[in-house]
Amino acid sequence: MYLTDPHARPQGAHNDSGHGWLSMAENYRRRGKFEDVAFIFPNAPNIPVTVNFGMQMPGWYDIIAFNDLAQAQDQPGILKSRDYFHSLIKAEIDKGIPSSRIILGGFSQGGSISIFAGLTSPYPLAGIFGLSSYLLLADALPKLITPALKSANSSTPIFMGHGDSDPLVKLEWGQRTAEVLKGMGWKVDMRVYKGLVHSADPKEMDDLEGWLSERLGASSEQ
């Protein structure tokens, strides 16, 4: 089970929704990869976004300022989206999917909320990934992760990918996220891609595919 929630687009995608990543799943299917895996691509709701002059656009939470994404954060919106993703995970568990087969991840805002929702999940997950992402509510996170939640996902591996030329979500924010999470005890595989801006590229997708294969095991390989 692989659950992803991208907000922004990879190279070649045509919109800022989950549908923009369908080609990734289709590529896996064509090559006989992850044939026993269900892909779920939820779309971010349209919400008023401060940096868009308050006009509505897809977002998992409000973006208050582009120049300080890692600090000026919409806590109510973040917590609301966290609860939504926890409900998606619970729905899959109720269908009979073990949480140990669920991976939560995404790109940009989607990756950031995936990391946050994964760390605070009451269900033990197979993995968490964030591409071109950063840590949400870093100051509040230690209080939000209760001992029970930490126990659930203390050994859950995290994959992070980031371009060294990203002008929107700065590389240093991604690197700092990895450092903070490692300091809290998580195993983080942080990879940096030379010349990559705020997007995804083939090498990053190959690395992610390999990481997914390790998490989901031989039953997902052909």
Side-chain angles (χ1 to χ4, degrees), residues 62 127 135 149 195 218:
D62 188 15
L135 189 61
L149 294 181

Side-chain angles (χ1 to χ4, degrees), residues 162-202:
H162 216 114
D164 68 357
S165 301
D166 192 330
L168 184 60
V169 179
K170 298 177 182 178
L171 172 60
E172 63 189 77
W173 298 345
Q175 291 175 322
R176 177 58 180 160
T177 296
E179 291 171 3
V180 169
L181 296 181
K182 287 178 181 179
M184 294 176 70
W186 271 281
K187 180 180 179 181
V188 182
D189 183 351
M190 174 73 186
R191 308 202 187 184
V192 178
Y193 299 90
K194 186 173 179 58
L196 182 63
V197 294
H198 194 63
S199 186
D201 72 0

Side-chain angles (χ1 to χ4, degrees), residues 26 30 89 103 132 149 204:
E26 292 168 350
R30 284 194 300 270
I89 295 170
I103 292 177
S132 303
L149 294 181
E204 185 177 30

Side-chain angles (χ1 to χ4, degrees), residues 106-122:
F107 175 87
S108 191
Q109 246 203 4
S112 299
I113 196 66
S114 292
I115 292 171
F116 184 81
L119 296 177
T120 58
S121 169

Side-chain angles (χ1 to χ4, degrees), residues 31 67 79 119 177 181 209:
R31 294 187 291 118
N67 64 342
L79 295 179
L119 296 177
T177 296
L181 296 181
E209 180 179 320

